[in-house]
Amino acid sequence: MPATDERKIILVVRPTRLDELIARFNTVQQAQFYVEHLGADFSDYLAEKKRYETAIAEVEASLRAVARVQRLDRRYLPNFVFGPDDVVVVLGQDGLVANTLKYLDGQPVLGVNPDPMRWDGLLLPFNPKSLPRVIGEALRNKRPIKRVSMAKATLNTGAVIHAVNDLFIGPQSHVSARYVLQAEEREERQSSSGIIVSTGMGSTGMGSTGWLKSLYSGCLGAASALGLEPTDRTIDMSFAWDADYLRYFVREPFPSRTTGATIVSGLVSQDQSLTIVSEMPEHGVIFSDGIEADFLEFNAGTRAVVTVAERQGALVV
C-alpha cells in the first residue's frame, strides 16, 4: 500500500436542483419564474445550492490538507478510470453513493452528508465536520468496511451493467415486456411490466429505489384486499448487504395462451443465474439503480444473464 500522502482522493459531487434548472432555463431568473409560477418556494432551491457549495468548499479544503484531491462530477462517473489505491469521498445524497459504488472495484467509499437537516443520509455516516477525523484513518485502511454485493447483467452483445440496489429489465415505456425467462432449471415465455432483480442493499429500502420492498408490500396488500389473507402480514424480505445471492420479482405477469405466470419470484445465486431472452422488437431496456437515462438496449434476440457480481462495494463506516 502506498504512503498516505501518496494516495489520491476522488471527491464525487453532483449538481443541485437549481443547477439543473439553470441548465434547462439558462438563467437563475428564468428558473425562479418557472418555480414560483408553479407555486413552489424558490428560496429553498437557493438555500440548498448555497449549503451544498459551502459543504464542497469545506470538504475539499479538509481533504487537500492530507492528500491530493480530484473533484469529479457525477456525470463523468461511467467513463472515469479510478486508480486501485484511490479513496473515494461522495458528497451525498444516498443515491449518489450507490451510483458511485457500481463503478468501483473495491476502492473504499466515504459517504458525506452535506446537509443533515435536509437529507436522512442512510448511506452518509459522516458530515463535513467529522470528515477530517476519519479521512486519515481511511487513507491508512484503519476504518471498518461494510461490504456491499452487486448485481451484474451480461448481454450476448458484450455489454455489461452493474447495480448496487437493483436492475430493471423490461420496457422503456408503458407497454408490456415480452421475453423468455429461464430460472432454476425452468423456462417460461412471459408478458409483464418488467423484472426487478434486487441486491441486499436494495431489499432493505436503504438504497435509492427500495423497489423490491415495495413490490412485496404491494403483494401483501393486494392479497388482503382480495380476501386472500397472507399467513404473515409482517413478512420481511430484506437480506444482508453482503449476501451471496439476489432476489428477482416479475412485475404484473399476464397469463395468456402463449405466456405464463408461474415463475414470478426467486433467488439468483452464484450457482444459479437468471437468463432472459428479449422478444421485444423495440424499446426494451436494462437499467440499474433507478437511473433510466443510463441504460442498455434489450431488444429482440438479446440475451441477458444476471448473476451476483464478482466484485463488491466497500463502504467506510
Side-chain angles (χ1 to χ4, degrees):
M1 185 186 77
T4 296
D5 58 1
E6 294 178 357
R7 299 184 77 177
K8 184 171 64 174
I9 299 173
I10 308 299
L11 174 59
V12 181
V13 298
R14 58 170 179 83
T16 64
R17 293 178 299 163
L18 181 53
D19 291 326
E20 293 174 339
L21 284 172
I22 293 172
R24 179 180 174 187
F25 295 107
N26 299 318
T27 68
V28 174
Q29 292 75 17
Q30 288 176 307
Q32 181 176 1
F33 174 80
Y34 172 78
V35 170
E36 292 182 343
H37 181 70
L38 296 176
D41 180 10
F42 187 70
S43 66
D44 187 56
Y45 290 75
L46 291 169
E48 178 192 354
K49 179 176 174 62
K50 182 179 180 180
R51 179 69 192 105
Y52 191 66
E53 290 177 345
T54 299
I56 290 176
E58 184 177 354
V59 166
E60 190 164 356
S62 64
L63 296 178
R64 290 193 183 280
V66 296
R68 293 179 297 133
V69 178
Q70 180 174 352
R71 192 193 298 188
L72 179 67
D73 189 276
R74 74 175 180 193
R75 67 180 183 273
Y76 299 123
L77 279 169
N79 300 315
F80 187 79
V81 179
F82 290 89
D85 296 311
D86 288 346
V87 173
V88 183
V89 175
V90 178
L91 196 55
Q93 303 132 323
D94 286 336
L96 185 58
V97 176
N99 192 34
T100 301
L101 279 171
K102 67 184 178 185
Y103 296 111
L104 301 176
D105 190 8
Q107 293 91 339
V109 174
L110 289 83
V112 180
N113 192 334
D115 193 351
M117 297 298 293
R118 182 181 298 272
W119 312 117
D120 290 336
L122 296 170
L123 303 181
L124 308 169
F126 309 112
N127 59 59
K129 300 298 183 185
S130 66
L131 186 59
R133 176 177 55 84
V134 300
I135 187 61
E137 296 176 349
L139 287 167
R140 295 190 299 273
N141 292 336
K142 298 298 184 180
R143 293 291 305 185
I145 295 291
K146 188 176 184 65
R147 298 292 173 181
V148 179
S149 297
M150 291 187 276
K152 174 184 175 182
T154 305
L155 276 56
N156 56 351
T157 62
V160 176
I161 189 169
H162 288 80
V164 174
N165 289 315
D166 39 49
L167 289 168
F168 172 80
I169 303 148
Q172 192 172 37
S173 57
H174 295 288
V175 296
S176 294
R178 298 186 68 88
Y179 52 86
V180 176
L181 180 64
Q182 299 170 8
E184 302 169 19
E185 300 182 352
R186 301 168 63 195
E187 179 176 303
E188 186 172 66
R189 175 169 281 104
Q190 292 187 343
S191 175
S192 74
S193 58
I195 303 169
I196 301 298
V197 182
S198 180
T199 66
M201 180 183 285
S203 75
T204 62
M206 290 188 178
S208 58
T209 57
W211 224 334
L212 188 73
K213 186 175 182 179
S214 66
L215 287 170
Y216 280 114
S217 297
C219 283
L220 289 175
S224 177
L226 292 171
L228 305 173
E229 192 68 24
T231 57
D232 187 349
R233 292 298 307 276
T234 61
I235 186 170
D236 181 7
M237 297 305 299
S238 62
F239 52 102
W241 288 13
D242 61 350
D244 60 356
Y245 63 90
L246 314 167
R247 290 190 182 275
Y248 72 88
F249 193 101
V250 178
R251 302 194 316 168
E252 302 168 328
F254 181 75
S256 69
R257 290 183 179 180
T258 58
T259 59
T262 62
I263 309 175
V264 295
S265 183
L267 298 182
V268 178
S269 68
Q270 295 175 334
D271 299 323
Q272 180 63 59
S273 61
L274 186 72
T275 300
I276 308 103
V277 180
S278 176
E279 294 187 340
M280 294 174 280
E282 58 183 356
H283 303 310
V285 296
I286 301 177
F287 62 82
S288 64
D289 302 326
I291 304 176
E292 298 182 40
D294 184 14
F295 66 90
L296 300 181
E297 291 188 357
F298 188 58
N299 295 322
T302 307
R303 177 186 296 106
V305 179
V306 178
T307 59
V308 180
E310 298 88 352
R311 65 177 192 250
Q312 289 185 313
L315 279 175
V316 178
V317 295

